[in-house]
Amino acid sequence: MKEVLLGNEAIARGAWEAGVTFAAAYPGTPSTEILQNIKADYSKDIYCQWSPNEKTALEVAVGAAIAGARSLACMKHVGVNVAADPLFTAVYTGIRGGLVLVSADDPYLHSSQNEQDNRNYAKFSKIPMLEPSDSQEAKDFLKAAFEISEQFDTPVLFRTTTRINHSKGVVEVGSREERPKPTDLPRDVKKYTMLPGFARPKHPVIEEKLAKLKEYGVTSPLNRVEMGDTSLGIITSGISYAYAKEAVPGASFLKLGLTYPLPEALIRDFAQHVDRVVVVEELDPFLEEQVRLLGVEVSHGKDLFPIVGELEPGVVLEKLAGVKTAVPAAAAGLPTRPPVMCPGCSHRGVFHVLKKLKVFVSGDIGCYTLGALPPFNAMHACLCMGGSITMAHGISKVMAGSTDPLNRTVAVIGDSTFFHSGITGLIDMIWNGGNSVVMIQDNRITAMTGGQQTPGTGQTLMGAEAPQIDIEKLVLTLGVKPANVRVVNAYDLKQVETVLKEELSKPEPSVVITKDPCVLNYRIKDRPMKVDPEACTACKQCLQVSCIALSMQGQGDERKASIDPNFCTGCTVCSQVCKFDAIQQA
């Protein structure tokens, strides 16, 4: 039977067909839909969970694999940085049931804070890597990844990119491979306990595995040769294969699905049968460098194709076939529309106040990162998940001698990110005598990725009720003084400003918590606001809260602020910044 599946749907299907019984992840675009589809379609057979962060997701998957279950861990590319610690040692312990780590890379940074090529993680951590080129391969290769994992006693990196995750294709689906449920838990201390004495002998074993995997890749159907015009031989993988095949369908191809370790003998043989070799790949010259190290002459690679950004079919067509495409830029003629917070978002008023106070705001990953954009311009740094608190602490330590209020720091972080890795930053600040204000914007959800559960929502991915971790009690337990833990209404701008001023005056850590839920996820809506045209002076102060419900209408002296009731949620923030009482609830 055939179905049209998104790449992420195909990965979920592949996990089910492979007999996976355990899956864990931290949501992150472009990987989020994998577990959502497992929950929606396969939760009868696969236990799945959101974990507080990627490290814990991989660790629980390793535990499940050691117990004998085929286990899946999913994350976006930057999540692998968080999970790198257990990954590098899981290669040493090996597994019992198959273990696959999905790394969903994001070339061109469609929704990410950096652009990194996680193929390098396969080489760095010494684990095999598979790269699908379409939805069919996303399903089929995932099943193959589990077979390789168990055959070679190693985790497998399954690397996708945004175009694979979020593109649809026809997929021939199959049935589930039922596997015996683990009934025993054998003790094998030398295998699973990485004391130096037990770990040291493992390294040469890993090198032996990689050598065997090179031989495996020579005959594996994951790698295939498509001979055509021998004047041009293209070595490629992933979505780049689709672009190159479309550009020069008559050329000869070495399409690699197992891209680490590379099948050296197969590459050399392919190169001998073509006049010239061109390597087509996105981002880093991962394949090109390895092919060159084999002594194979590469006519072209990164001298033709960009090392940054997402590879475009038009670029590949022009470089390989010399055909220029006249595709206009997507934004040609359109007004610039920067992303903005949702109408009624509880973050809006907080950033209005932070801008007014002119403090240094150390931000984090989430919807509130939009506070860095105009008209707020109220976030001054953002590094990584959980980094807001630690950065603020470091800044405050260095600026400790300054009496200038502008040098005071506020760390802004959401509830999901606080649970992810912000907690340890707060512990650091408390332990080492920091004096920053930590503002936790607790909207009871992982908002930016579409509204996934957190340890504070009281529900698991599987729909079971769970204890709600109380952030206020948690920070008190960590050691923040009770007088320095404040809960405010994010929509009450005066209260937010007053409390922030009080806490900024203290020489010790403070935590200010907003508990207003995500307006989009919880569909919060009150009576919309309206503008009194007689009172409005067209000062445009209300536009400074950056709400899409607000605009200026009319010409000349008749030009006034206006509110679209279809967008307005009645949050009242715009009315609080109006100095002329021109905005009231309808």
Side-chain angles (χ1 to χ4, degrees):
M1 186 174 69
K2 293 182 178 179
E3 295 183 15
V4 177
L5 297 179
L6 200 70
N8 281 343
E9 293 174 328
I11 293 171
R13 177 75 188 193
W16 180 78
E17 291 186 12
V20 168
T21 56
F22 188 96
Y26 182 79
T29 306
S31 70
T32 308
E33 297 88 355
I34 299 173
L35 244 63
Q36 288 179 327
N37 278 282
I38 288 177
K39 163 62 177 62
D41 298 330
Y42 311 113
S43 56
K44 181 182 176 183
D45 298 310
I46 304 176
Y47 166 82
C48 55
Q49 68 169 53
W50 296 125
S51 290
N53 61 36
E54 296 85 356
K55 178 176 183 288
T56 54
L58 180 57
E59 288 167 344
V60 295
V62 169
I66 287 176
R70 282 191 167 181
S71 305
L72 181 71
C74 306
M75 55 200 68
K76 67 181 298 178
H77 64 294
V78 289
V80 181
N81 302 335
V82 181
D85 194 5
L87 173 63
F88 277 61
T89 302
V91 182
Y92 278 62
T93 65
I95 46 84
R96 187 173 166 220
L99 174 63
V100 175
L101 167 61
V102 175
S103 168
D105 291 10
D106 187 21
Y108 191 65
L109 298 88
H110 292 283
S111 57
S112 306
Q113 64 268 43
N114 75 18
E115 185 176 59
Q116 65 186 49
D117 190 333
N118 275 12
R119 294 181 297 176
N120 294 297
Y121 264 113
K123 185 178 180 183
F124 193 14
S125 63
K126 299 179 182 292
I127 61 174
M129 173 174 61
L130 272 61
E131 289 188 78
S133 294
D134 55 30
S135 292
Q136 181 70 61
E137 288 189 350
K139 183 195 75 96
D140 294 341
F141 281 17
L142 192 76
K143 295 170 69 176
F146 279 101
E147 292 165 3
I148 291 172
S149 176
E150 292 177 351
Q151 181 178 345
F152 292 91
D153 188 23
T154 177
V156 173
L157 185 66
F158 193 83
R159 191 253 188 179
T160 61
T161 57
T162 303
R163 291 296 155 192
I164 299 296
N165 296 101
H166 288 166
S167 295
K168 287 194 172 185
V170 177
V171 177
E172 180 75 42
V173 297
S175 56
R176 178 172 169 83
E177 177 185 343
E178 294 296 347
R179 301 178 61 79
K181 184 177 181 180
T183 56
D184 63 328
L185 194 54
R187 274 63 171 168
D188 192 341
V189 177
K190 287 188 176 181
K191 177 172 172 57
Y192 296 121
T193 307
M194 287 305 97
L195 296 168
F198 295 159
R200 198 172 294 118
K202 295 290 187 71
H203 191 173
V205 173
I206 292 168
E207 300 298 337
E208 291 172 10
K209 288 180 186 177
L210 290 175
K212 291 178 180 177
L213 278 159
K214 287 181 183 178
E215 297 174 5
Y216 171 88
V218 173
T219 56
S220 169
L222 295 168
N223 301 320
R224 68 171 185 262
V225 174
E226 301 171 2
M227 292 308 294
D229 181 355
T230 55
S231 65
L232 174 61
I234 296 173
I235 299 177
T236 184
S237 67
I239 193 65
S240 301
Y241 164 75
Y243 298 157
K245 190 72 175 178
E246 183 176 312
V248 284
S252 294
F253 285 84
L254 173 53
K255 181 193 176 302
L256 298 170
L258 177 61
T259 47
Y260 191 80
L262 289 182
E264 297 178 0
L266 185 62
I267 292 171
R268 287 196 176 94
D269 183 70
F270 176 74
Q272 288 177 354
H273 287 84
V274 295
D275 295 340
R276 60 190 179 103
V277 170
V278 175
V279 179
V280 183
E281 58 189 327
E282 273 183 331
L283 298 180
D284 293 349
F286 181 79
L287 300 177
E288 181 183 345
E289 288 180 352
Q290 292 185 80
V291 171
R292 288 185 186 277
L293 284 173
L294 295 177
V296 174
E297 184 178 350
V298 176
S299 297
H300 293 292
K302 284 301 164 186
D303 59 324
L304 286 184
F305 303 103
I307 200 169
V308 299
E310 193 172 23
L311 198 56
E312 296 179 2
V315 172
V316 179
L317 180 64
E318 179 181 346
K319 299 300 181 183
L320 290 180
V323 178
K324 289 188 177 182
T325 54
V327 179
L334 296 175
T336 303
R337 294 176 179 172
V340 296
M341 295 172 189
C342 300
C345 176
S346 58
H347 301 332
R348 175 172 283 105
V350 169
F351 280 102
H352 178 78
V353 173
L354 289 169
K355 179 181 182 181
K356 183 178 179 181
L357 294 178
K358 299 179 180 178
V359 291
F360 188 96
V361 176
S362 174
D364 224 297
I365 307 297
C367 298
Y368 37 88
T369 312
L370 299 174
L373 302 177
F376 295 115
N377 300 310
M379 182 180 288
H380 307 102
C382 179
L383 181 65
C384 63
M385 291 286 285
S388 60
I389 302 175
T390 34
M391 280 200 302
H393 175 53
I395 293 168
S396 67
K397 278 293 185 183
V398 173
M399 304 301 292
S402 173
T403 57
D404 188 341
L406 298 179
N407 293 331
R408 290 305 312 272
T409 56
V410 175
V412 174
I413 190 169
D415 52 319
S416 183
T417 315
F418 181 69
F419 290 128
H420 178 282
S421 50
I423 294 174
T424 48
L426 182 58
I427 292 172
D428 187 354
M429 183 185 292
I430 296 167
W431 181 26
N432 291 296
N435 68 343
S436 293
V437 175
V438 176
M439 190 148 204
I440 303 175
Q441 297 183 276
D442 181 7
N443 61 6
R444 303 277 97 186
I445 210 73
T446 310
M448 185 164 262
T449 47
Q452 289 75 36
Q453 293 79 13
T454 79
T457 58
Q459 192 178 51
T460 71
L461 174 59
M462 298 284 280
E465 290 187 8
Q468 284 184 287
I469 294 180
D470 188 316
I471 293 178
E472 186 179 352
K473 291 180 180 176
L474 176 61
V475 299
L476 285 168
T477 303
L478 292 179
V480 181
K481 291 181 179 179
N484 296 356
V485 179
R486 311 288 295 274
V487 179
V488 298
N489 178 355
Y491 296 107
D492 187 337
L493 305 191
K494 187 174 182 181
Q495 182 191 33
V496 172
E497 181 176 349
T498 300
V499 168
L500 276 174
K501 284 181 176 177
E502 291 174 358
E503 298 309 314
L504 282 165
S505 68
K506 296 177 180 177
E508 52 210 4
S510 294
V511 175
V512 179
I513 305 169
T514 63
K515 288 188 174 180
D516 301 281
C518 174
V519 66
L520 189 62
N521 197 66
Y522 293 92
R523 309 294 177 192
I524 298 168
K525 190 170 178 63
D526 205 336
R527 287 181 295 139
M529 311 301 290
K530 66 177 182 180
V531 176
D532 179 356
E534 298 299 323
C536 179
T537 64
C539 69
K540 300 182 182 178
Q541 185 63 34
C542 55
L543 300 186
Q544 294 303 304
V545 300
S546 188
C547 179
I548 61 172
L550 283 156
S551 64
M552 299 300 292
Q553 299 291 331
Q555 300 295 327
D557 293 340
E558 300 299 318
R559 188 168 175 78
K560 305 289 183 182
S562 179
I563 296 175
D564 186 338
N566 295 309
F567 287 118
C568 180
T569 66
C571 76
T572 78
V573 168
C574 59
S575 67
Q576 294 179 62
V577 303
C578 178
K579 298 178 180 177
F580 305 99
D581 294 327
I583 302 177
Q584 304 291 334
Q585 209 141 30

